[in-house]
Amino acid sequence: CAWSLTSLTCFHVLIITLAQTTNERVRGVFAYSGTRNVADRGCMSNWVSALCGRRPPSKLPKDFSQLVICGECTADEKIWDSNASSIGQLSPERISSAAQLSGEALSRSSSAAVEEGRAGG
């Protein structure tokens, strides 16, 4: 575990120093194409930019609680509806199906606990 964390840290130190993304480094965009990396402003400037520079706004939803259904749902059904009218929406059918499955899973675990209590008592 320590070895993988160390190597991951070293890799990120390298790509920050060179002002590259992981994808650019792995594909060898600047090493093999002969093109110059216009984002590279030198070691110190790259680090200042990485640590103190502005970040673009995130494209992730601000509140995941409306997108994630919690519970002990063990079914193989996918909850996400790729045909929803807009990105980030869940279909009502999928939500009710997941809630139903979650309720069934909870009632099964409760029944098992009651049975286990009877057997042990």
Side-chain angles (χ1 to χ4, degrees), residues 63-90:
D63 183 15
F64 277 98
S65 66
Q66 295 178 3
L67 301 175
V68 177
I69 297 175
C70 298
E72 296 180 12
C73 182
T74 58
D76 290 337
E77 179 182 352
K78 296 203 185 285
I79 304 300
W80 187 258
D81 183 7
S82 61
N83 296 323
S85 59
S86 66
I87 296 175
Q89 298 296 317
L90 295 173

Side-chain angles (χ1 to χ4, degrees), residues 14-97:
L14 174 72
I15 64 173
I16 289 171
T17 302
L18 299 175
Q20 293 181 353
T21 64
T22 303
N23 190 25
E24 290 169 343
R25 185 67 186 175
V26 169
R27 288 181 35 223
V29 172
F30 302 111
Y32 304 116
S33 67
T35 59
R36 184 179 173 279
N37 183 358
V38 294
D40 187 4
R41 292 181 268 160
C43 179
M44 189 59 98
S45 293
N46 291 344
W47 276 96
V48 169
S49 175
L51 298 175
C52 305
R54 295 181 55 117
R55 298 281 172 251
S58 175
K59 295 180 181 178
L60 295 173
K62 294 200 184 305
D63 183 15
F64 277 98
S65 66
Q66 295 178 3
L67 301 175
V68 177
I69 297 175
C70 298
E72 296 180 12
C73 182
T74 58
D76 290 337
E77 179 182 352
K78 296 203 185 285
I79 304 300
W80 187 258
D81 183 7
S82 61
N83 296 323
S85 59
S86 66
I87 296 175
Q89 298 296 317
L90 295 173
S91 73
E93 297 83 20
R94 297 279 177 121
I95 292 173
S96 64
S97 173

